[in-house]
Amino acid sequence: MRYSSIADAYERIEATTKRLEMTDYLVEILKETPTSLIDKVVYLTQGKLYPDFFGIEIGIAEKLAVRAVARAAGHREKDIEEDMQKTGDLGETTQKFMEKKTQSTFFSTPLTVQRVYETLDKTANSTGSGSVDMKLSMLAGLLSDASPSEAKYIVRTVTGSLRLGIADMTVLDALAVAFGGGKETREELERAYNISSDLGRVAKLVAEEGIERIKQFEVLPGEPIRPMLAERLSSSAEILEKLGGKCRAEYKYDGERIQAHKKNNDVILFSRRLENITDQYPDGVEYIQKHVMAKEAIVEAEAVAVDPQTGEMKPFQELMHRRRKYGIQEAMKEHPITLFMFEALYVDGKDLTLQPYPVRHEYLKKIIEKTDNVKVAESIIAENPEELEQFFEKTVDDGSEGIMCKSMNQDSVYQAGARGWLWIKYKRDYKSEITDTVDLVVVGAFYGRGKRAGTYGAYLLAAYNPDTDTFESVTKVGTGFTDADLEKLPKLLDSHKISHKHPRVDSTLEMDVWFEPKVVIEIRGADITLSPIHTCAMNIIREGSGVAIRFPRFTGKYRVDKSAEDATTTQELVEMYRGQLKKIDG
Ligand code: AMP
């Protein structure tokens, strides 16, 4: 197949703004393409060589492309660059210079699609020393044999500026007409695409084996499934009504979504945007290998950074340490993760994407072996707004963003690539940021794990309520302590250790150790939220809720100058909550 057929179609596509015409031109070109080449032509029309999840880009820098054009057109680089300043498009400049050239030379061998694809593929894959020269000569060679219009499109393709505006949906429309038997088959093709993320493969399959084969299309470990997304509502009652009176409500963890594909001992991890992020999570890979009890599986999880000492969840920014090439081992140590599993999409030969959620959830529970670092997302089945609301507040208090409410109806399939009402998110939409530090009283502690074994991992802190003369719990802190603090604080607290909760301490929590309210420390938190767990300001802002400080961190200051009764008061915290309340989006 000649590359000129494609270049001609590109010219026509570029000349129209109408999507329908664009689709017609695509249909023509697809019908003209030998079936063995369909996938490559589909990738090329989108300026690619492979589906995105392969992570292979043609990636030729503009400067290098200029050199190749100069060489092929027999001009100085400077001339090309100057003209490019005027046109603003290296493609157009290339066409111009190649036109000048063709007036004085003969055409060489016509370019075929295969040759263009293979050359670009070699360019994309050449790395290391000498690769720049190789790329240059391969590209110049291709351009020398190209017509001016072909050269324009080749240059745009290699520099990542093809931009014909052929969206995935346009290709699917064209495939339906060209090979599916009509527009109405688009839905089946779309589903195949949504569960494979590979337009080229879907195109080739429908061209070779027809639409019936597409109807049988199933998920395959190794091919990412486009993620299902949630709609949003802001009250428990509305959510339950929308979901038919009953739902499974899960923690909405604040981390990174990971789709894990397991094939025997091989594991690939994809991000929400379907990039291959396997290298960023060697620990995640190991957890999947060891604790997903299936030979083959596709599961989804939220990876959340946890404090290695206290096991507390940390804000998702901590995962940014994973976004790098080197130092992953250190990041793993300092910022370990827990995987909270929430979907099973494929298990040992069974595609579960069309099964209702309760069935998928059963599979998930069956194959996940629970450990400290691998868990099934915590959830409840809610049938009335009150229990849903309570669960919501509990999750927020635990540092989650809110809840995901999932349909349990017969039609609750996994809607790959779609945002729909089968999943509804209910997020904490108010938060109150604190800029000031607060001084809180240490009233209890949990024993530590890991590096903090033998000492305390986290401390329960309370504010003072002068009206009742009690200390009301407001947060648990495990962060911000240096090694020196870890020695000093337990010593300070030792003489105040008691065998039971102090009568003036108001808390619903079960602690390993209790203290007399004496030691005051300074804390900086990210924000104040409502909480059903902490007793500070209980029922003052909302019935059944107190306030809590989220993401607290010890500033390093022991307020030895303050007695427990001088600590920040309940009233102050209520004012802080109200005063800085602002609506946030998200
Ligand atoms: P959003 O990004 O706000 O639209 O919320 C959807 C995201 O929440 C998903 O893409 C997941 O990364 C994340 N998430 C956290 N917990 C869950 C859960 N239990 N079920 C589904 N998604 C979850």
Side-chain angles (χ1 to χ4, degrees), residues 142 154 228 290 311 402 492 528 541:
L142 206 54
I154 290 173
M228 174 166 179
K290 286 196 181 146
L492 265 181
I528 305 184
I541 294 165

Side-chain angles (χ1 to χ4, degrees), residues 250-253 257 272 302 342 377 404 406 423 425 427:
E250 298 174 353
Y251 269 58
K252 185 175 188 306
Y253 298 96
R257 184 172 187 159
R272 172 178 174 149
E302 191 82 355
F342 60 81
M404 286 293 243
K406 302 185 175 176
W423 280 9
K425 59 186 167 190
K427 281 198 188 180

Side-chain angles (χ1 to χ4, degrees), residues 2-184:
R2 296 233 178 141
Y3 186 67
S4 59
S5 316
I6 292 194
D8 290 349
Y10 287 177
E11 294 282 2
R12 273 175 277 150
I13 288 171
E14 256 186 336
T16 178
T17 49
K18 299 197 188 87
R19 194 179 145 184
L20 281 182
E21 274 179 26
M22 196 190 253
T23 314
D24 290 343
Y25 296 140
L26 256 186
V27 171
E28 277 170 31
I29 189 80
L30 287 171
K31 281 188 170 161
E32 204 184 305
T33 307
T35 43
S36 62
L37 275 182
I38 288 271
D39 48 350
K40 298 192 165 84
V41 168
V42 165
Y43 300 134
L44 283 175
T45 59
Q46 294 193 307
K48 306 171 191 170
L49 297 174
Y50 296 99
D52 287 340
F53 69 86
F54 276 43
I56 298 176
E57 281 175 27
I58 313 174
I60 295 226
E62 198 171 72
K63 265 212 139 53
L64 189 64
V66 167
R67 282 167 67 191
V69 174
R71 198 186 277 189
H75 271 268
R76 293 181 308 166
E77 282 169 42
K78 207 165 140 260
D79 301 335
I80 312 280
E81 267 165 3
E82 268 171 23
D83 190 75
M84 198 173 72
Q85 297 286 326
K86 279 183 238 151
T87 60
D89 168 19
L90 182 58
E92 211 179 305
T93 295
T94 303
Q95 184 168 23
K96 226 173 33 198
F97 278 83
M98 295 301 284
E99 267 160 11
K100 285 188 204 164
K101 179 194 167 196
T102 45
Q103 284 160 7
S104 56
T105 49
F106 295 105
F107 268 131
S108 344
T109 27
L111 284 185
T112 60
V113 173
Q114 289 93 322
R115 178 170 162 207
V116 172
Y117 185 91
E118 276 161 23
T119 311
L120 299 190
D121 195 26
K122 271 190 213 143
T123 339
N125 284 306
S126 69
T127 50
S129 68
S131 69
V132 173
D133 287 338
M134 265 222 331
K135 286 181 188 187
L136 178 63
S137 66
M138 283 194 282
L139 184 56
L142 206 54
L143 293 175
S144 304
D145 289 340
S147 73
S149 159
E150 289 174 331
K152 170 173 73 181
Y153 290 116
I154 290 173
V155 163
R156 284 191 186 157
T157 303
V158 297
T159 55
S161 51
L162 185 62
R163 302 199 192 102
L164 291 172
I166 302 179
D168 297 345
M169 295 306 143
T170 318
V171 177
L172 289 168
D173 280 340
L175 289 175
V177 174
F179 310 115
K183 274 204 172 92
E184 57 296 342

